[in-house]
Amino acid sequence: MNVVEQDARAQVVTDADVLRDMDRGTVPVALSYDPGRDPRTVRMRAAGAPAREWTLPRDLLEHGLRTPVERGDVRVWPCGRVQTVVEFHSPRGVSMVQFETKALTRFLRRTHVAAAAAEPVPH
């Protein structure tokens, strides 16, 4: 399977106690997509102590690049012309991750290529 991984820089703001030290400046975030594991989701892993991973539907992230969308505890919306915000709600609090839209667009294009390659070839 073609796993897609991409590093990005993001601004992380949170009121969750476990991540409170990460809410200053930008941090590296690893974006990943594994069509063999779950072709409908993407993962975001923020570096830091401790590292944190979020999972969200790939189509939600894609739609959120253009218009505000919400599904369950995840919200995604464009923030101006060049930024996209992903917001996660949990019992521990709220975490917002702000990306450059270009980085997410590039990542999502690569996921579509990987998903197409993972589809079985009809006989």
Side-chain angles (χ1 to χ4, degrees):
M1 287 293 148
N2 293 337
V3 176
V4 176
E5 295 179 337
Q6 179 176 313
D7 292 328
R9 301 285 299 168
Q11 176 80 29
V12 177
V13 179
T14 182
D15 65 356
D17 290 338
V18 70
L19 294 175
R20 206 169 297 266
D21 292 337
M22 290 178 55
D23 65 354
R24 293 184 285 285
T26 59
V27 297
V29 175
L31 304 169
S32 66
Y33 172 72
D34 184 347
R37 184 176 179 183
D38 186 350
R40 295 177 310 260
T41 64
V42 296
R43 289 177 170 66
M44 298 178 176
R45 183 172 175 85
R52 176 65 200 262
E53 183 173 284
W54 299 280
T55 302
L56 69 149
R58 182 172 64 141
D59 66 328
L60 184 74
L61 180 60
E62 192 161 31
H63 289 115
L65 297 177
R66 297 180 305 278
T67 188
V69 292
E70 177 179 345
R71 190 173 306 155
D73 294 335
V74 181
R75 296 177 180 102
V76 183
W77 70 88
C79 181
R81 296 182 347 192
V82 296
Q83 301 288 316
T84 300
V85 174
V86 183
E87 184 177 283
F88 301 94
H89 293 254
S90 76
R92 293 183 305 210
V94 177
S95 298
M96 290 176 38
V97 186
Q98 185 172 350
F99 292 92
E100 285 190 19
T101 301
K102 286 192 305 188
L104 293 178
T105 301
R106 186 171 39 252
F107 171 72
L108 287 167
R109 281 190 195 128
R110 293 177 61 213
T111 69
H112 285 284
V113 171
E119 290 179 5
V121 178
H123 295 282

